Amino acid sequence: SNYRERSTIYGGLDTVTGTCTVQFYAKANTDATIAFVNTLQHHYPQQRLVLIWDNATYHKSKEFRAYLNTINAGTTEQTRKVHCIHFAPNDPQQNPIETVWMQAKQYIRKKYLKSESFSTIKKIFLEYIQNHRYTGKNMDIYYPKSVNI
């Protein structure tokens, strides 16, 4: 009920392992987007990241593109450290993180009456995210199990 308690959640789904990395920010913007990509690079230091996300302005801002150019300097298209692919906004069929958000929301709804504050809700959300693995057909379209790397 208190607007000041709201958070923006960035989430990154590893479609190979089914794990999800989440980070809370005050709002969604270019700075938060860059901070989240840095978080992902910290979690996956030796891996190439392919980010598949919507067309939010902060996902493709001039500042974010400059950031990508900096971290990808000296690489080819095939060896970029971070590669971004954009798809249609608000399309759960294309966006596997939407499955994660829906499952987490359903879990929160079951626990909501036991929650006394927004911080408790965030704790329940994190508990769910950190203790589940996500699989399913909309994850398989990005990393089919039959593909050998």
Side-chain angles (χ1 to χ4, degrees), residues 105-117:
K105 287 176 189 178
Q106 289 170 350
Y107 182 76
I108 289 170
R109 285 182 190 113
K110 292 176 187 174
K111 303 279 187 177
Y112 180 75
L113 294 177
K114 298 177 185 176
S115 306
E116 298 176 11
S117 67

Side-chain angles (χ1 to χ4, degrees), residues 15-16 139-149:
T15 59
V16 177
M139 267 59 111
D140 291 346
I141 64 172
Y142 294 107
Y143 187 79
K145 302 303 179 216
S146 63
V147 173
N148 293 321
I149 303 179

Side-chain angles (χ1 to χ4, degrees), residues 33-95:
T33 301
I34 290 170
F36 186 66
V37 172
N38 285 333
T39 296
L40 292 174
Q41 287 186 297
H42 177 75
H43 281 56
Y44 301 96
Q46 301 302 318
Q47 295 187 20
R48 180 175 182 240
L49 300 176
V50 178
L51 305 177
I52 304 168
W53 51 20
D54 63 23
N55 285 297
T57 56
Y58 45 84
H59 288 162
K60 54 186 183 176
S61 71
K62 180 179 172 181
E63 296 84 4
F64 184 67
R65 285 180 292 163
Y67 163 78
L68 287 177
N69 287 338
T70 300
I71 61 174
N72 289 323
T75 64
T76 66
E77 186 173 343
Q78 291 78 24
T79 62
R80 288 182 189 153
K81 292 179 183 177
V82 179
H83 181 72
C84 296
I85 300 170
H86 298 279
F87 55 74
N90 303 317
D91 186 350
Q93 298 295 353
Q94 289 187 7
N95 191 349

Side-chain angles (χ1 to χ4, degrees), residues 121-136:
I121 295 286
K122 285 172 73 172
K123 183 178 175 183
I124 291 169
F125 174 81
L126 281 174
E127 171 188 298
Y128 182 82
I129 293 292
Q130 293 169 347
N131 292 312
H132 284 81
R133 298 291 174 263
Y134 306 93
T135 59

